[in-house]
Amino acid sequence: MSDCDKAKSEGELVNEGEPVNAGESVDIHFACTKPIYFQIEETTFAIPKKSLLDSEFFTSLLTSEHLGEPEEGTILNPIKLSGITKADMSGFLMVLESRSWEHPASLNPKQWTAALRLSTMWSFRLVRKYIIHRIEDFPTIYPVMRIELARAYNIPKWLHPMYVELCMRKESLSAEEGTRIGMSTFAALCRIREVIRNHQLRVYEENVARVKTCDHRKPDGRSFAKAPPPLCSQCFRSPGDDITEASILGLVTKAPDLAVPADNEIAV
């Protein structure tokens, strides 16, 4: 008898996402191939053992000789997990399943964040890399939130690019953002933004002075004191022309308060 046939005979669910009324709801994933059962809140999840062995945490758990009597992980004695919600687990399993079938999971930022937390906590190295890659392409996860995630889940490669983005944007940094990223980081970013602003003002003033004395275009007879002529297109350049992401990155990497931690593959 196959695992799925056995599940049917025991009154369990084979199709994902449809609970059964057998005392507790059971969510079956991956067509219940050799499932290990976990209980989160009021719901029992059935997850293939093969998928769990991609995790250092679950590999250690499932190979332990002290799973309990009777053996934990069965439908009658599921392994109880605390500190996470049913919604967190459902989103994480959607990621696991989408990787198996090579169809991108459709999750919102909150679900991706929860999936990142669980993949880090349980040491799913490959799944974690996949989630990080997907979050990088998610358009509505803004710099401050990405900085928070980078710090919480040890993704140092996100930090400097997000610092650069905050330095380059026109809008000022807010007090709320300062609270979220920390005052030392906030102050360092403000100092860099001030350097950029002073540079832009200096370049603008130098160009205006140069234009007033250039001979590329004759003044039209108006008094400079009353109405200076338009800026000369040959002399004047935008004060931001020589400010690039690379130059700002140079300022960021030299700021002690913006140093990034060592790039460990995973932090638990």
Side-chain angles (χ1 to χ4, degrees):
M1 179 182 296
S2 70
D3 292 317
C4 289
D5 290 337
K6 182 179 179 182
K8 291 178 181 178
S9 68
E10 294 175 353
E12 300 167 20
L13 179 72
V14 174
N15 296 322
E16 176 187 343
E18 299 178 15
V20 295
N21 297 319
E24 292 177 307
S25 62
V26 179
D27 284 348
I28 304 295
H29 291 265
F30 303 96
C32 66
T33 306
K34 296 183 179 179
I36 302 295
Y37 294 89
F38 297 87
Q39 183 176 336
I40 300 172
E41 296 178 341
E42 79 288 351
T43 300
T44 301
F45 291 86
I47 308 171
K49 183 176 181 179
K50 180 180 179 181
S51 297
L52 294 172
L53 293 178
D54 290 336
S55 156
E56 293 181 7
F57 173 82
F58 285 116
T59 297
S60 175
L61 178 68
L62 296 175
T63 56
S64 170
E65 297 179 356
H66 304 287
L67 281 179
E69 288 294 338
E71 182 179 0
E72 289 182 309
T74 63
I75 184 64
L76 298 178
N77 189 19
I79 299 171
K80 294 179 174 59
L81 298 177
S82 60
I84 62 176
T85 66
K86 173 184 175 180
D88 290 345
M89 189 64 161
S90 296
F92 179 71
L93 293 178
M94 287 176 63
V95 174
L96 278 183
E97 187 169 16
S98 69
R99 288 185 69 254
S100 296
W101 294 99
E102 298 182 354
H103 294 302
S106 179
L107 306 179
N108 59 41
K110 183 178 180 181
Q111 290 173 317
W112 279 116
T113 300
L116 175 61
R117 180 173 76 89
L118 296 184
S119 69
T120 301
M121 180 172 67
W122 291 332
S123 299
F124 278 92
R125 295 180 183 274
L126 295 180
V127 176
R128 172 182 149 91
K129 287 182 178 179
Y130 171 78
I131 293 170
I132 290 173
H133 176 71
R134 291 302 310 278
I135 291 178
E136 287 174 343
D137 295 333
F138 213 90
T140 58
I141 299 182
Y142 300 105
V144 169
M145 182 178 180
R146 217 177 281 261
I147 289 170
E148 291 176 317
L149 293 177
R151 290 173 172 174
Y153 304 114
N154 193 46
I155 314 172
K157 69 174 183 176
W158 282 0
L159 290 174
H160 279 169
M162 293 303 101
Y163 294 154
V164 170
E165 189 168 331
L166 291 176
C167 288
M168 292 181 67
R169 80 178 193 191
K170 293 182 179 180
E171 296 82 8
S172 299
L173 300 179
S174 68
E176 178 190 357
E177 288 174 328
T179 299
R180 291 174 63 178
I181 64 179
M183 292 312 297
S184 62
T185 299
F186 179 76
L189 295 177
C190 286
R191 287 195 296 270
I192 294 174
R193 287 172 60 87
E194 186 68 16
V195 170
I196 296 170
R197 180 177 178 275
N198 289 340
H199 170 81
Q200 290 174 328
L201 288 174
R202 183 173 67 254
V203 171
Y204 182 84
E205 291 169 354
E206 290 173 352
N207 279 276
V208 169
R210 186 181 303 113
V211 167
K212 287 184 177 180
T213 59
C214 80
D215 58 3
H216 297 132
R217 171 179 37 77
K218 297 296 182 181
D220 58 5
R222 292 178 295 172
S223 168
F224 284 165
K226 294 181 179 179
L231 297 177
C232 174
S233 60
Q234 296 184 53
C235 290
F236 188 80
R237 63 186 175 87
S238 169
D241 283 349
D242 58 347
I243 297 177
T244 63
E245 288 190 33
S247 63
I248 297 177
L249 179 60
L251 295 174
V252 166
T253 55
K254 293 176 183 178
D257 291 333
L258 301 181
V260 301
D263 188 4
N264 298 319
E265 183 181 359
I266 197 165
V268 179

